């Protein structure tokens, strides 16, 4: 690790957090886009998806933004390890006897995506992204102050 890598460590951590939040936003958008799908390729309604996030070695600032960070680097951050289906929330039955996927009693199983839960999730993502941007700005100010002190 070069001397400059240590100075940019704060940017690396915040950038990896921003990348994670962008991936969370993509999953929420996918959940919302598919919430009315009553039958997928497996014959079941669309199942809400969530992310598994872990602390990781993020690589450099630009690698974290591009998602090409090397796990061999010794820089902290976060990353998405996988997208998993939400098996804890059941599908919801809806009475709609005219629907092509209705059972003999007129009920259709619908997705386990809750619109309001997804909107709250999107709000949390936005706040987290903003916090990472504020962290980058504060860290930039500290680096600038340190450089000015070194020049003096």
């Amino acid at each position: 690790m070069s001397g400059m890598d240590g100075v940019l460590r704060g940017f690396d951590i915040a950038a990896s957090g921003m990348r994670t939040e962008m991936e969370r936003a993509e999953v929420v958008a996918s959940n919302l886009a598919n919430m009315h799908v009553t039958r997928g390729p497996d014959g079941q309604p669309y199942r809400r998806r969530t992310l598994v996030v872990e602390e990781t070695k993020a690589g450099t600032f630009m690698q974290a933004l591009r998602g090409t960070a090397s796990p061999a680097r010794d820089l902290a951050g976060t990353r998405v390890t996988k997208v998993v289906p939400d098996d804890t929330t059941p599908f919801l039955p809806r009475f709609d006897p005219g629907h092509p996927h209705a059972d003999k009693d007129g009920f259709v199983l619908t997705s386990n995506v809750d619109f309001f839960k997804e909107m709250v999730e999107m709000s949390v993502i936005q706040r987290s992204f903003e916090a990472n941007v504020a962290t980058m700005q504060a860290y930039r100010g500290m680096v600038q102050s340190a450089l000015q002190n070194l020049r003096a």
Side-chain angles (χ1 to χ4, degrees):
M1 178 185 311
S2 73
M4 200 59 178
D5 285 341
V7 171
L8 299 178
R9 184 174 294 229
F11 293 120
D12 294 330
I13 294 168
S16 72
M18 292 168 72
R19 175 83 177 160
T20 297
E21 294 309 322
M22 287 172 38
E23 290 184 51
R24 281 179 62 198
E26 289 173 8
V27 169
V28 169
S30 176
N31 287 341
L32 290 170
N34 291 293
M35 69 184 291
H36 296 294
V37 173
T38 58
R39 185 160 298 165
D42 61 354
Q44 300 236 347
Y46 176 81
R47 188 173 294 278
R48 178 179 185 267
R49 289 170 175 52
T50 60
L51 300 178
V52 176
V53 178
E54 71 178 11
E55 183 179 359
T56 187
K57 298 170 187 337
T60 66
F61 172 69
M62 290 308 294
Q63 288 173 325
L65 283 178
R66 284 189 225 112
T68 60
S70 166
R73 300 286 305 219
D74 187 25
L75 299 174
T78 61
R79 76 177 178 108
V80 175
T81 57
K82 60 185 167 180
V83 178
V84 296
D86 176 4
D87 294 324
T88 61
T89 309
F91 294 128
L92 302 172
R94 181 182 78 220
F95 185 71
D96 188 356
H99 194 283
H101 301 141
D103 65 12
K104 63 179 173 56
D105 297 322
F107 286 93
V108 177
L109 279 182
T110 61
S111 173
N112 62 351
V113 175
D114 179 346
F115 176 80
F116 295 106
K117 186 176 186 176
E118 299 300 319
M119 294 311 293
V120 168
E121 184 76 10
M122 194 60 88
S123 179
V124 170
I125 291 166
Q126 178 185 356
R127 299 288 184 254
S128 182
F129 198 88
E130 289 170 352
N132 279 300
V133 169
T135 299
M136 284 185 139
Q137 290 171 338
Y139 193 75
R140 183 188 71 194
M142 289 188 296
V143 169
Q144 286 174 334
S145 291
L147 289 173
Q148 287 174 353
N149 289 339
L150 288 173
R151 287 185 209 162

